[in-house]
Amino acid sequence: MTSAPRGSRLLSDMVSFAFGNLSAQFVTIAMIPFYTQQLSTSEYGSLDLILAAAALVLPAATLSVSDAVLRFLVHDPERRGPILAGGLLVTLVGATVCLVASVVMGVVTDQRLFLFSLPALVAAQGYQNLMAQYTRALGGSRLFALSGVTQALTLAVCNVLLLGFLDMGVEGYLVSVLVSNATAIVFLSTTTHRTYGHAALSIQWPLIRTMLAYSTPLVPNSAIWWVVNMSSRFFLLASAGLGTVGVYAIAVRVPTLITVVSLVFAQAWQLTAFREHSSQDQPRFYARVFEIYSSSLCLGIAVILVVLKPLFAAAVSPEYYIAWTFTPYLLLAALFMAFSSFIGTNYLASMGTKHAFSTSLLGGLACVSLSALLVPPWGGIGAAVATMGGYAVMWLARVWNTWQLVTMQPRYTTLVVNLGLIASQVVALNIGIQPSWETGVLASIVCVMVVVNKRELTDGWRQASVTVRHMRS
């Protein structure tokens, strides 16, 4: 890979982010057996829909201002006080508007738990996102990572108390989410202040207007990402009921192993892309990073498919076991989502956030159309395929669209072969061969994939070795 210092810095950031995200994800996965014992499929489905609704409202209420805090602070760290103050003000106004709207709607409907939990979730997650981006922009990768671990552990402990001992069900889980976000906010606020000093807060209206001009176009983009990721669940609710939504929510947990890796990479890649946007060899650097990144993700998915059925048999209650049938398509959805996010970083780096909307819109329309077509006859599998299709369309649209922003031309031959090998694994999982033979076939495909990706894996290992030596020195 070209430019070892840039690659080393990217991997160094990834190491820090990986510690927090992977540790948090380990805690989350370890809690799945507990959640499936404490919550029925209907309760889990209800909880999943509440959290999904909060994820939709959050960027609209806050105008995605945390993204602006990250981008502007990386570009101009000397103005961290006014930038942070602008983010805090916008988040406060958004949370207040959400609270008023929820109270008004709560008077005329009987969905009190849903409506009253929504503004609390928006406020807690909005401020947590804001402080996390602020810390990350200042270079506090380790503090950012530690906050993720703290938040995950707090969520687990609170859920054990509120679900296991007090039997509070969905309400207990929601309280745990709020407490864990509050803990992360306090941790980030105090540690960032001690490490980087006091930020002199001041309201600068021209700066706030500029920040919102950058972040506001990301709101419909975020909404469409939500449509691709979540809309199929509401089609499931209409056609199959809350129980199937709960099973589907468990199926989604396994692809989070891929999602968290892509999140770790995205958090580090954003910073690198912002710094390297104007470099002369940017296209080749971007292309080579994508080649290594895509090969690593494909190999990770192939390995997960080998252990998929035994994992579900050991980790979940029998009523949730059927969720494994949805998972291969959700793994591919996570892969295409990671690819879309990688290319979408070009929009953020070039300040061209308006361009993110059109490609996301295509993905959203594809997902909704496929959900309407596939969910009624196929249920959870149809929902998973629709999500996969939506992200695939978004990725392909962004590949085409960003050629005018970054002329990167990665070699796609290896990626096409990888996708073919993963497809053969999915077929092997579903044709009902003897378990021992099935495992052997799946593992053999992984070995073939290692050979196919030898060049990318070797380059990635070489760059990792350079990074380790750089960090030691």
Side-chain angles (χ1 to χ4, degrees), residues 152-424:
L153 289 174
T154 303
L155 179 65
V157 170
C158 289
N159 274 326
V160 169
L161 293 175
L162 299 182
L163 273 65
F165 290 96
L166 299 182
D167 197 24
M168 291 180 61
V170 174
E171 293 88 345
Y173 192 102
L174 293 173
V175 171
S176 298
V177 171
L178 295 176
V179 172
S180 66
N181 275 282
T183 302
I185 294 169
V186 172
F187 175 85
L188 288 167
S189 300
T190 55
T191 55
T192 302
H193 175 74
R194 291 175 183 173
T195 305
Y196 299 101
H198 176 68
L201 301 179
S202 63
I203 300 297
Q204 296 182 6
W205 294 108
L207 174 63
I208 293 176
R209 284 194 292 270
T210 304
M211 291 171 62
L212 292 181
Y214 171 85
S215 67
T216 301
L218 296 174
V219 174
N221 181 60
S222 298
I224 295 172
W225 274 80
W226 181 93
V227 169
V228 177
N229 197 37
M230 300 290 184
S231 62
S232 55
R233 305 185 193 196
F234 289 90
F235 280 95
L236 265 183
L237 176 64
S239 63
L242 271 177
T244 303
V245 175
V247 173
Y248 187 84
I250 290 298
V252 171
R253 294 293 186 180
V254 174
T256 54
L257 292 168
I258 297 300
T259 303
V260 75
V261 172
S262 65
L263 176 61
V264 167
F265 176 84
Q267 290 168 345
W269 177 241
Q270 271 192 349
L271 300 178
T272 300
F274 291 164
R275 300 183 191 114
E276 301 296 329
H277 180 65
S278 300
S279 62
Q280 292 183 348
D281 64 338
Q282 174 212 41
R284 183 56 198 148
F285 177 65
Y286 278 29
R288 195 67 191 121
V289 170
F290 179 78
E291 289 166 0
I292 295 174
Y293 179 51
S294 61
S295 290
S296 301
L297 289 180
C298 287
L299 186 59
I301 289 175
V303 171
I304 291 174
L305 290 176
V306 174
V307 299
L308 182 63
K309 287 184 180 178
L311 177 65
F312 271 92
V316 302
S317 300
E319 60 184 325
Y320 287 94
Y321 178 73
I322 195 176
W324 80 262
T325 60
F326 314 156
T327 304
Y329 312 103
L330 291 171
L331 284 167
L332 286 169
L335 179 70
F336 295 135
M337 179 184 70
F339 292 169
S340 299
S341 178
F342 178 93
I343 299 178
T345 302
N346 296 328
Y347 299 127
L348 303 179
S350 63
M351 295 287 190
T353 51
K354 294 180 181 179
H355 297 290
F357 175 71
S358 59
T359 53
S360 298
L361 179 61
L362 289 174
L365 291 174
C367 183
V368 172
S369 301
L370 289 171
S371 293
L373 181 66
L374 301 178
V375 171
W378 290 356
I381 292 178
V385 171
T387 303
M388 178 186 70
Y391 280 122
V393 169
M394 185 188 299
W395 167 52
L396 293 174
R398 289 188 170 187
V399 168
W400 178 264
N401 181 259
T402 54
W403 276 348
Q404 57 187 316
L405 298 176
V406 180
T407 56
M408 71 170 193
Q409 296 181 351
R411 287 181 284 269
Y412 286 108
T413 305
T414 302
L415 176 58
V416 171
V417 174
N418 285 339
L419 293 176
L421 291 172
I422 291 173
S424 66

Side-chain angles (χ1 to χ4, degrees), residues 1 3-5 7-9 11-12 15 458-473:
M1 179 186 293
S3 189
S8 295
R9 190 167 186 179
L11 286 176
S12 179
V15 169
T458 301
D459 282 358
W461 178 259
R462 185 183 300 115
Q463 187 60 59
S465 300
V466 171
T467 302
V468 172
R469 290 196 298 270
H470 178 73
M471 294 174 67
R472 287 178 177 175
S473 61

Side-chain angles (χ1 to χ4, degrees), residues 103-151:
V103 170
V104 171
M105 294 179 65
V107 172
V108 298
T109 69
D110 59 353
Q111 300 295 324
R112 303 293 171 80
L113 173 63
F114 175 81
L115 290 172
F116 293 158
S117 62
L118 202 58
L121 289 170
V122 167
Q125 294 177 354
Y127 280 113
Q128 189 275 331
N129 286 345
L130 180 67
M131 291 308 303
Q133 298 289 55
Y134 176 73
T135 303
R136 186 154 70 103
L138 290 177
S141 300
R142 294 181 181 179
L143 296 179
F144 178 89
L146 286 173
S147 73
V149 177
T150 302
Q151 185 173 354

Side-chain angles (χ1 to χ4, degrees), residues 48-62:
D48 191 55
L49 294 178
I50 292 174
L51 295 178
L56 174 64
V57 173
L58 177 61
T62 63

